[in-house]
Amino acid sequence: MTEIGTLATHHVGLNVTDLDRSLTFYGEVLGFETLGEGKEGDSRFAFLGRDGRLILTLWQQADETYAPGRAGLHHLAFEAESLDHVRAAEAALIARGTTFAYEGVVAHREGAASGGIFFHDPDGTRLEISVPKGAEAAEAPNETAPTCGFF
């Protein structure tokens, strides 16, 4: 067997029901740049990233919104530079009427330095923006919370 070495996530692809709506959300609200768009058969797609680096692909090929009971993606987490950046994202999301799993910044677990916000994209996909430290003063969603806010 050949050793494959260390693997890192290159990008994540999400199925969406409305590409234009998702481009507005991920672009205008979360600050991703559209690196390219195209069409393949009946599906439209877009490549999103920052500074020319691909982070997310959106594929308009879903007929239904996200369902947490199905196999596949549990949630998608982004790491912010600081807690101030998490709070800025939260303000932008609130202004847009985004639904949240919890109010405000929550710790990943009781006593953790890491934490963030937990919310949903237009198709209901669960998203997180968090920091590895700086959330020491935030409360956990509950006493037995695991290391993320969606359980």
Side-chain angles (χ1 to χ4, degrees):
M1 185 164 136
T2 304
E3 178 155 343
I4 61 172
T6 303
L7 298 177
T9 302
H10 181 266
H11 70 276
V12 174
L14 296 178
N15 284 334
V16 299
T17 59
D18 182 330
L19 184 62
D20 295 324
R21 179 181 66 178
S22 293
L23 281 171
T24 298
F25 179 82
Y26 284 96
E28 293 178 13
V29 179
L30 296 183
F32 288 103
E33 304 163 8
T34 300
L35 303 176
E37 292 185 57
K39 187 172 178 156
E40 188 173 285
D42 293 335
S43 299
R44 289 178 54 213
F45 60 88
F47 302 118
L48 305 179
R50 288 238 168 89
D51 301 321
R53 180 179 171 267
L54 179 62
I55 298 172
L56 188 64
T57 61
L58 302 176
W59 291 85
Q60 182 176 302
Q61 59 187 24
D63 295 326
E64 299 176 25
T65 59
Y66 176 81
R70 290 191 198 134
L73 182 72
H74 182 268
H75 74 284
L76 177 56
F78 300 105
E79 185 176 309
E81 296 173 39
S82 71
L83 198 54
D84 287 339
H85 287 101
V86 173
R87 289 195 175 109
E90 178 186 26
L93 291 162
I94 288 170
R96 183 173 169 66
T98 301
T99 59
F100 287 80
Y102 308 101
E103 187 175 327
V105 173
V106 296
H108 279 137
R109 65 182 174 286
E110 204 61 49
S114 62
I117 55 174
F118 299 86
F119 57 100
H120 302 89
D121 81 354
D123 283 305
T125 300
R126 301 182 296 192
L127 303 172
E128 168 186 352
I129 299 176
S130 61
V131 290
K133 60 183 178 181
E136 293 86 348
E139 293 184 21
N142 66 52
E143 292 178 12
T144 60
T147 59
C148 80
F150 293 111
F151 25 93

